[in-house]
Amino acid sequence: MRWLALIWKSLLRSRRRTLLIVGSLVLSVFTVAVLQSLLTTLDSVTNNPNSGNRLAVRHKSGITQMLPRSYETYLRQQPEVETVCALQWFGGYYQDPRNFFANFASDETTIFQTFREEFGLSSITEAQVKEYLRDGAGCIVGETLALKNGWKVGDVVPLTGTIFPINPRLTIRLIFKSSRPSDENVMHFHYKVLEEGVPRMKGLTGAFWVRVHRPEDIPRLIDRVDRHYANSAYETLTETESAFNLAFVKMLGNISAIIQGITIAVVLAILIVTANTMGTAIRERGPEIAVFRAIGFSASRVLSLLLAEGVLLVALGAALGILLAQAAAGGVRGALGAVMPFFADFEITSATALLCLVGALAVGLLSTFIPAYAATRRPITDGLRSVG
Amino acid sequence: MNANAFDLGEGEPIITLRGIAKSYWRETLEIPVLQGIDLEIPSGAFVALMGPSGSGKTTLLNLVAGIDRPTGGTLEVCGHELNDLDDDELAAWRNAHVGFIFQNYNLVPVLTAFENVELALLLTGLGRRARRERVAEALDLVNLTDKQWNYPRQLSGGQEQRVAIARAIVTDPDLLVADEPTGALDAKNAEEVLGLMSRLNTEMGKTIVMVTHDPKAAHQARHQIHLEKGVLDRAVEVNR
């Protein structure tokens, strides 16, 4: 028999209790891992490393209000600006309303330059871009989206509009790869498809995406653009891309605070449950602990054994919880990645897994230490008296 | 009767108690359990501690075994002044020098008979093979080799107590302490266990100190020490 075998056998003393506590740990760690990963994912939306030199210019009243496309001329004239791209959320689906994904009408002449990191420009040839520019009914799609739907270059994709009353049939002219899966769950098509199909959209756009030469110019540019259009019929709200995305995420409510609140509640609940279970389990073993000590186990050695049991128990629960969360993350990516592109990046990162594991171990140590310490400090004769 | 007058036979004392006292406190009330115990027990003795309930015999056994500490006096057991040892040293001392036999066997239910016996050896630094040999010897001695992979719940009371005896002797201690070792056994099993203890004393030279109420069990010992209200009352040599 080795020490680990002794610890393991002690853990299996009450299999039902061990199973229940491991089960509750699995669920708790699963919940915390998924929620923390959701936070990480949302955080990546607002902290996209590619966002540093891009601005979003939209109507001051909200993203559902339109701006004149003529603003583009003024924006281009600013010395800090490298390129400007008009972008409008189309909100169409492919074949079935459940097959919903991010699709935009965008200025085909500047889209590649404005979002060059997302399009992985190095992998796109000039001929492919020209082919897209040539075909007014063409579209470009990310590889993840294409793979999911079995699309290839040349396929015609009928889109059904949900916001605008048109159903464009678009030919795939380019499939691009990106460094982040969420950037590959997107389709762009020529802006004029929207303008020609929806007369009220002629000369209007939901937002402009502005790429600047140097990030440090952004504050000055924001101030100038918004002052320029102040008191006009279409006042602007100019903000960094990160701030724009943050506002978009905030439409879901103060997710971060809710998630942190739930996480704290789950951790506290599992701490109390584990402490109660470990406390009961250790108290029941008072006579046995006394025997261990009588035959020569020091109090500190018995304490170590009990702590090891607690840690092994929570480590087991945490590991299973993390594995379950990993499996669930795959499901989330598949189910929601196309609808909300940032979910395509949803994963249980090693940092989140480590956080869960360390947190669980801390819960195990905390919940075991107090009853174990008390049990090992109890006089041996007291423990033996309660035998039989 | 003065304890010094007790004649427990010739031989180097393995247990020497000088002015031992033990009290318990209930809030501010002191409850004396043992007072002024002077006693020498020679190596190889088989002593039965007897007396009515509350006379202090189990407390005396606990002090000798190093699982409790006196409130007064000194005790030297197996060549060590126990008062001088801290808790960890005392634990190591118990592992090396004392084997315990309890009334209710106190086997670990999730371990097999073999593993229960091996438990005390985990602290000795012996290798796996050496531990196995020692456990096999101990189980052979108590005639339970065929039950070594059984769990306590699969053993009879007598067999459980024999496993407990194997656990007590596996470290080859100088001293065996037994608290009512036959208290939970029927007559036949009690006889077997007492016979085994007698053999350990006569054939292996183990010093045994046993607390018992049972006159039959006490008759197996070579000396009976009677306690009365926390003091030594008399010592009797058993004639067999």
Side-chain angles (χ1 to χ4, degrees):
Chain A
M1 183 173 56
R2 293 161 197 263
W3 290 109
L4 191 60
L6 178 61
I7 292 164
W8 182 248
K9 286 198 161 201
S10 296
L11 266 185
L12 296 181
R13 175 179 312 268
S14 169
R15 286 173 194 218
R16 191 191 310 168
R17 180 159 53 199
T18 303
L19 260 178
L20 284 173
I21 190 75
V22 168
S24 62
L25 279 159
V26 167
L27 282 177
S28 304
V29 169
F30 169 80
T31 307
V32 170
V34 168
L35 289 176
Q36 287 303 312
S37 298
L38 182 60
L39 261 189
T40 308
T41 304
L42 293 178
D43 192 49
S44 74
V45 173
T46 56
N47 291 305
N48 180 353
N50 302 329
S51 296
N53 52 2
R54 285 198 296 255
L55 294 174
V57 183
R58 61 181 172 95
H59 198 289
K60 192 178 177 180
S61 302
I63 56 173
T64 57
Q65 301 297 309
M66 301 295 147
L67 291 176
R69 282 200 68 183
S70 57
Y71 280 17
E72 196 173 322
T73 310
Y74 171 77
L75 292 171
R76 282 185 199 285
Q77 287 167 352
Q78 305 313 303
E80 298 90 348
V81 173
E82 181 187 332
T83 180
V84 181
C85 181
L87 202 72
Q88 174 60 47
W89 171 260
F90 181 68
Y93 63 83
Y94 170 62
Q95 291 182 334
D96 188 301
R98 285 174 298 185
N99 201 0
F100 187 85
F101 56 92
N103 41 77
F104 298 89
S106 55
D107 183 344
E108 67 280 2
T109 59
T110 54
I111 185 80
F112 294 107
Q113 210 47 39
T114 308
F115 296 97
R116 58 176 170 248
E117 292 86 358
E118 281 77 0
F119 285 121
L121 273 189
S122 56
S123 64
I124 296 175
T125 64
E126 205 171 316
Q128 287 175 312
V129 174
K130 275 184 180 169
E131 187 63 13
Y132 172 57
L133 294 176
R134 183 193 59 75
D135 180 5
C139 68
I140 56 176
V141 296
E143 189 176 62
T144 305
L145 188 61
L147 283 174
K148 187 186 171 214
N149 292 293
W151 295 337
K152 55 188 186 305
V153 172
D155 284 357
V156 174
V157 178
L159 270 192
T160 305
T162 57
I163 302 170
F164 302 103
I166 54 169
N167 303 318
R169 290 175 60 80
L170 305 164
T171 307
I172 296 174
R173 294 300 175 195
L174 191 158
I175 294 174
F176 63 89
K177 279 186 170 185
S178 190
S179 57
R180 299 196 314 171
S182 58
D183 294 329
E184 291 183 357
N185 264 319
V186 179
M187 170 190 274
H188 288 272
F189 56 88
H190 290 232
Y191 204 92
K192 68 180 177 196
V193 172
L194 180 65
E195 285 189 313
E196 289 172 359
V198 185
R200 67 177 163 88
M201 283 300 291
K202 196 155 184 64
L204 295 174
T205 185
F208 292 102
W209 246 250
V210 178
R211 187 180 186 104
V212 297
H213 294 294
R214 300 185 312 163
E216 52 269 37
D217 294 332
I218 284 177
R220 191 169 57 242
L221 184 61
I222 287 175
D223 186 53
R224 191 186 316 136
V225 171
D226 287 345
R227 266 196 293 113
H228 182 76
Y229 291 111
N231 301 316
S232 71
Y234 300 93
E235 288 192 81
T236 58
L237 174 65
T238 307
E239 56 196 346
T240 60
E241 183 179 278
S242 296
F244 176 88
N245 288 335
L246 183 64
F248 190 74
V249 169
K250 274 188 174 170
M251 287 197 308
L252 301 172
N254 193 349
I255 294 282
S256 176
I258 293 169
I259 288 176
Q260 295 295 15
I262 294 172
T263 302
I264 290 169
V266 168
V267 170
L268 281 178
I270 194 63
L271 182 63
I272 291 166
V273 168
T274 312
N276 186 40
T277 309
M278 295 307 289
T280 307
I282 290 170
R283 267 194 303 280
E284 283 174 5
R285 288 166 61 188
E288 187 180 304
I289 289 168
V291 172
F292 268 69
R293 293 183 59 204
I295 66 174
F297 284 69
S298 65
S300 54
R301 192 180 287 271
V302 176
L303 178 65
S304 304
L305 285 172
L306 294 172
L307 286 177
E309 279 180 38
V311 166
L312 187 62
L313 189 71
V314 294
L316 191 66
L320 289 174
I322 290 166
L323 285 177
L324 192 64
Q326 293 277 20
V332 169
R333 281 195 298 273
L336 297 174
V339 183
M340 287 185 257
F342 56 84
F343 273 119
D345 294 334
F346 187 79
E347 61 173 345
I348 310 298
T349 62
S350 49
T352 302
L354 190 65
L355 174 79
C356 289
L357 196 60
V358 170
L361 292 181
V363 165
L365 278 175
L366 268 176
S367 58
T368 311
F369 182 78
I370 294 170
Y373 184 81
T376 53
R377 289 308 183 263
R378 188 181 176 200
I380 299 173
T381 48
D382 282 5
L384 291 176
R385 254 200 293 275
S386 51
V387 173
Chain B
M1 180 182 284
N2 189 327
N4 290 327
F6 292 178
D7 180 10
L8 299 185
E10 297 293 315
E12 192 68 21
I14 190 170
I15 300 168
T16 306
L17 283 68
R18 298 267 178 263
I20 285 296
K22 177 71 183 177
S23 296
Y24 292 108
W25 291 85
R26 193 165 290 164
E27 294 173 358
T28 53
L29 181 67
E30 184 181 5
I31 303 166
V33 181
L34 291 174
Q35 301 165 65
I37 304 286
D38 293 314
L39 181 65
E40 281 186 359
I41 296 175
S43 180
F46 188 169
V47 176
L49 292 176
M50 302 187 75
S53 289
S55 60
K57 54 190 185 302
T58 294
T59 302
L60 182 59
L61 187 79
N62 291 342
L63 293 175
V64 167
I67 58 173
D68 202 357
R69 289 183 184 275
T71 43
T74 59
L75 41 75
E76 188 183 327
V77 187
C78 302
H80 288 78
E81 192 72 52
L82 300 192
N83 301 44
D84 295 343
L85 303 180
D86 65 24
D87 286 351
D88 284 355
E89 289 168 336
L90 200 55
W93 173 84
R94 286 195 298 270
N95 184 248
H97 296 286
V98 187
F100 288 85
I101 304 166
F102 303 100
Q103 179 178 357
N104 291 297
Y105 335 127
N106 286 344
L107 299 180
V108 180
V110 293
L111 301 181
T112 62
F114 186 97
E115 290 165 338
N116 265 286
V117 176
E118 191 186 10
L119 202 56
L121 289 179
L122 289 177
L123 301 167
T124 58
L126 284 175
R128 209 172 174 193
R129 176 178 286 187
R131 290 203 308 265
R132 279 183 178 179
E133 286 170 4
R134 295 274 285 269
V135 174
E137 279 172 28
L139 284 169
D140 183 48
L141 194 74
V142 299
N143 203 20
L144 275 178
T145 305
D146 58 329
K147 302 282 184 188
Q148 62 182 327
W149 303 119
N150 285 31
Y151 287 92
R153 63 179 181 279
Q154 297 165 324
L155 299 171
S156 69
Q159 288 169 335
E160 278 197 79
Q161 192 61 297
R162 278 150 59 197
V163 173
I165 291 172
R167 180 179 66 188
I169 60 172
V170 75
T171 54
D172 194 22
D174 310 306
L175 173 66
L176 292 179
V177 293
D179 192 358
E180 301 279 9
T182 57
L185 298 176
D186 59 34
K188 184 174 171 292
N189 278 310
E191 201 172 314
E192 265 186 45
V193 165
L194 288 169
L196 193 53
M197 289 176 68
S198 208
R199 273 181 59 205
L200 292 172
N201 175 247
T202 54
E203 294 174 19
M204 297 177 70
K206 300 294 178 196
T207 305
I208 300 177
V209 181
M210 170 177 70
V211 164
T212 186
H213 275 107
D214 179 6
K216 270 189 185 171
H219 194 69
Q220 289 290 331
R222 280 189 273 160
H223 294 91
Q224 297 175 356
I225 294 176
H226 291 258
L227 285 101
E228 189 75 42
K229 294 179 181 172
V231 296
L232 295 179
D233 182 44
R234 65 185 187 281
V236 178
E237 188 171 355
V238 179
N239 295 315
R240 279 180 281 185

